[in-house]
Amino acid sequence: MPQTYPEFLDFSLIAQLKGVRSPDEHRLDEILDKATLLNGLSLEDAAVLLAVQDPRQIQRIMTTAKQVKQAIYGNRIVIFAPLYIGNHCVNNCLYCGFRKDNKVLKRAKLTQDQVHEQTSRMLNQGHKRIVLLFGEGYNLSYLEQSINTIYKVREGASNIRRINVEVAPLDVEGFSRLKQCDIGTYICFQETYDPGLYKHYHPSGPKSDYQYRLFCMHRAMAAGIDDVGIGALLGLADYKLEVLSMLQHAKALETHFGCGPHTISVPRIEPADGAPLSSRVPHLVSDDAFRIIIAVLRLTLPYTGIILSTREKVELRRELFQYGVSQISAGSATSIGGYSEDNAPDTQGGSQFALGDCRPLETVIRDLIQMEFIPSFCTGCYRRGRVGKDFMDLAKPGLIKLFCHPNGIMSFAEYLEDYATADTRKKGYALIEKMQAREQNDKIKTTVDSGITQIQAGKRDLFV
């Protein structure tokens, strides 16, 4: 008999908290002072921050989010890219270009040879971390074969070192099989936590089962998958309901399994051919509201990675790197076979949604260097077993920096040696030198200096 879990969404409480008033200065001081302790905020605190409308108070929230992000993540940004391997789907989600009733989409499924070819092209751009995706309706064996294919691809000394997986919910047995594939994080978005609207937006297909999707992370963690990533597609419902629901979801996982989500994603609906709802967003989330959402999530869940995709435009992405985002996709393609044209993602059409940032990977990296962010391709924690609760036990007392900072810089140096143009390499090493000059921890400084010397001498895949 399948295991059942307690309901965790309290919609009466959410309705009450959505109606709280903007705080006075004293209350705001209390919440922001609490946030700087890096222990997170309560659901009630988060609701108060979501109610703030005064521009000056909003700026205080953003500034505090920047401080918290810097304290935990430093100046590194983890980089990954999605790999879509099939766009057939048995669902009919009204907002998605892959929906079953979309007659304008050219359907495709990559063969294993094509999976190999796409992986090679991603490696030749410099990627080391990918998210693997496809529509619902493919069997689990296809996913297992594709993961196996990807991990076997080599381009010189390069290989994909971490595959995160974003596919439809499985039962516990299915998640147990997925665990054996040596995946990183399992990702699944609830899309909207509003059960009535969920039913409306998902009229047919397995995905129409709200409860089955809602508890997929419980099943994944019960099957031994340590790192999970939750999220909501902003624009389907009131954003305050979505944020407060995600926070309740995170709390439920923490309570039941001793560890909350490894990542949280907040994509906004973007136009998609053949999905009319995507061009008339029911609950539009403005850029100003989006900024607050990112900041509130950072303050409330300080040790959870916040993912920002290439859906967002360049200027806004640059800004949000400062205020809470810790992982980004870059050089992305959301069409099947989209990496076939180097540095020109999604030229083949058939994307799941439109991109706001179509820049090639090196351009994004040059931008990050200019902003003094270290682009990180690190996979060390995953490969050392620092995942799930073990990761959080290191993160909360601030010890994870002993690993993440040197690993991030060494993975960046590897990119500079193998893929960067001469100008990017020069600027990248100048940034590393600046970071090393500021570093006060002698152990980290020594580890990085030694690692870079070895990398420049030809050693690869160094991590602590």
Side-chain angles (χ1 to χ4, degrees):
M1 182 175 180
Q3 184 175 359
T4 58
Y5 301 99
E7 295 286 341
F8 57 83
L9 292 177
D10 185 341
F11 287 112
S12 62
L13 176 59
I14 289 174
Q16 176 185 337
L17 292 177
K18 282 172 55 183
V20 300
R21 295 181 178 179
S22 183
D24 59 23
E25 290 299 313
H26 178 68
R27 178 68 174 124
L28 184 62
D29 286 343
E30 286 182 338
I31 296 174
L32 296 183
D33 286 346
K34 180 179 177 182
T36 60
L37 299 177
L38 308 183
N39 294 318
L41 299 175
S42 68
L43 193 69
E44 291 74 15
D45 294 333
V48 170
L49 295 184
L50 289 171
V52 170
Q53 297 181 353
D54 179 80
R56 187 180 58 82
Q57 289 189 327
I58 290 173
Q59 187 54 53
R60 290 188 60 199
I61 294 171
M62 305 304 290
T63 299
T64 306
K66 183 176 182 178
Q67 293 170 354
V68 168
K69 193 222 168 181
Q70 180 65 30
I72 295 171
Y73 291 94
N75 68 325
R76 62 189 173 83
I77 297 283
V78 172
I79 293 179
F80 69 93
L83 175 56
Y84 285 78
I85 59 176
N87 61 11
H88 301 85
C89 194
V90 296
N91 296 310
N92 210 17
C93 311
L94 302 184
Y95 48 82
C96 180
F98 289 178
R99 62 193 291 258
K100 180 182 177 181
D101 285 355
N102 183 358
K103 305 305 182 185
V104 301
L105 179 68
K106 183 179 180 180
R107 304 289 175 173
K109 171 187 173 182
L110 298 184
T111 66
Q112 292 308 303
D113 285 345
Q114 290 170 325
V115 171
H116 188 291
E117 185 264 345
Q118 289 290 294
T119 304
S120 293
R121 289 184 176 276
M122 296 178 78
L123 285 170
N124 283 323
Q125 291 181 23
H127 285 294
K128 298 292 189 295
R129 304 166 58 106
I130 68 171
V131 177
L132 192 61
L133 310 95
F134 52 56
E136 186 164 0
Y138 297 95
N139 60 48
L140 187 53
S141 295
Y142 177 59
L143 176 59
E144 293 169 323
Q145 291 167 8
S146 298
I147 291 172
N148 185 52
T149 295
I150 292 165
Y151 274 137
K152 287 182 176 179
V153 179
R154 295 290 186 276
E155 287 294 332
S158 295
N159 62 291
I160 296 298
R161 298 170 185 164
R162 176 173 175 131
I163 301 174
N164 295 338
V165 175
E166 185 178 332
V167 295
L170 303 168
D171 57 20
V172 173
E173 180 182 357
F175 279 124
S176 295
R177 284 177 59 181
L178 194 56
K179 167 76 172 178
Q180 299 306 310
C181 294
D182 201 24
I183 68 163
T185 304
Y186 170 71
I187 302 166
C188 185
F189 303 160
Q190 185 61 24
E191 313 296 13
T192 177
Y193 285 86
D194 184 307
L197 289 176
Y198 185 96
K199 183 177 181 180
H200 172 67
Y201 297 137
H202 305 93
S204 63
K207 194 172 176 179
S208 62
D209 189 334
Y210 176 89
Q211 288 290 326
Y212 189 73
R213 194 171 188 88
L214 185 65
F215 285 96
C216 75
M217 294 308 181
H218 285 71
R219 297 192 300 277
M221 296 185 81
I225 294 178
D226 300 285
D227 289 348
V228 299
I230 65 173
L233 181 58
L234 299 178
L236 294 177
D238 180 281
Y239 72 83
K240 291 184 180 180
L241 177 144
E242 305 289 29
V243 173
L244 296 174
S245 296
M246 283 191 287
L247 294 177
Q248 287 191 335
H249 197 171
K251 180 65 175 177
L253 296 174
E254 176 90 36
T255 299
H256 197 90
F257 297 100
C259 179
H262 187 69
T263 60
I264 191 163
S265 300
V266 283
R268 292 191 289 183
I269 298 175
E270 291 295 332
D273 290 340
L277 184 142
S278 67
S279 60
R280 52 174 193 273
V281 180
H283 296 267
L284 195 66
V285 177
S286 68
D287 287 354
D288 287 339
F290 194 51
R291 292 181 180 95
I292 289 291
I293 290 168
I294 297 290
V296 170
L297 289 173
R298 175 50 61 224
L299 297 176
T300 309
L301 301 173
Y303 298 99
T304 299
I306 298 179
I307 296 176
L308 187 68
S309 79
T310 46
R311 291 170 181 259
E312 303 300 334
K313 290 183 169 53
V314 173
E315 294 75 15
L316 185 60
R317 273 166 56 97
R318 285 183 181 133
E319 181 182 349
L320 294 175
F321 296 163
Q322 307 279 347
Y323 296 117
V325 170
S326 56
Q327 297 188 25
I328 65 167
S329 53
S332 300
T334 64
S335 58
I336 312 306
Y339 295 101
S340 292
E341 294 295 329
D342 291 336
N343 298 322
D346 283 332
T347 56
Q348 297 187 10
S351 300
Q352 187 182 30
F353 51 83
L355 300 183
D357 185 351
C358 296
R359 298 173 297 168
L361 177 60
E362 179 158 7
T363 303
V364 176
I365 285 176
R366 287 172 65 89
D367 204 23
L368 289 170
I369 292 170
Q370 180 66 30
M371 298 171 68
E372 296 196 351
F373 283 109
I374 294 290
S376 172
F377 299 86
C378 171
T379 59
C381 284
Y382 161 65
R383 296 160 76 199
R384 293 290 192 199
R386 295 187 293 261
V387 295
K389 189 175 184 299
D390 290 339
F391 175 88
M392 290 300 176
D393 287 345
L394 289 168
K396 291 179 179 179
L399 298 177
I400 201 66
K401 274 189 176 181
L402 294 173
F403 309 103
C404 293
H405 185 73
N407 286 346
I409 291 181
M410 288 189 293
S411 70
F412 178 41
E414 186 175 323
Y415 171 86
L416 293 175
E417 288 295 317
D418 292 344
Y419 302 103
T421 60
D423 187 57
T424 300
R425 186 179 303 116
K426 179 180 177 181
K427 289 181 167 124
Y429 274 123
L431 175 59
I432 290 174
E433 288 177 11
K434 184 180 288 188
M435 295 301 102
Q436 284 291 84
R438 295 176 184 171
E439 181 56 61
Q440 297 180 349
N441 186 307
D442 289 338
K443 182 177 180 181
I444 290 178
K445 185 176 292 189
T446 300
T447 299
V448 170
D449 284 341
S450 174
I452 290 177
T453 298
Q454 294 180 66
I455 289 166
Q456 290 175 337
K459 186 75 173 177
R460 294 293 178 267
D461 199 14
L462 298 178
F463 56 93
V464 295

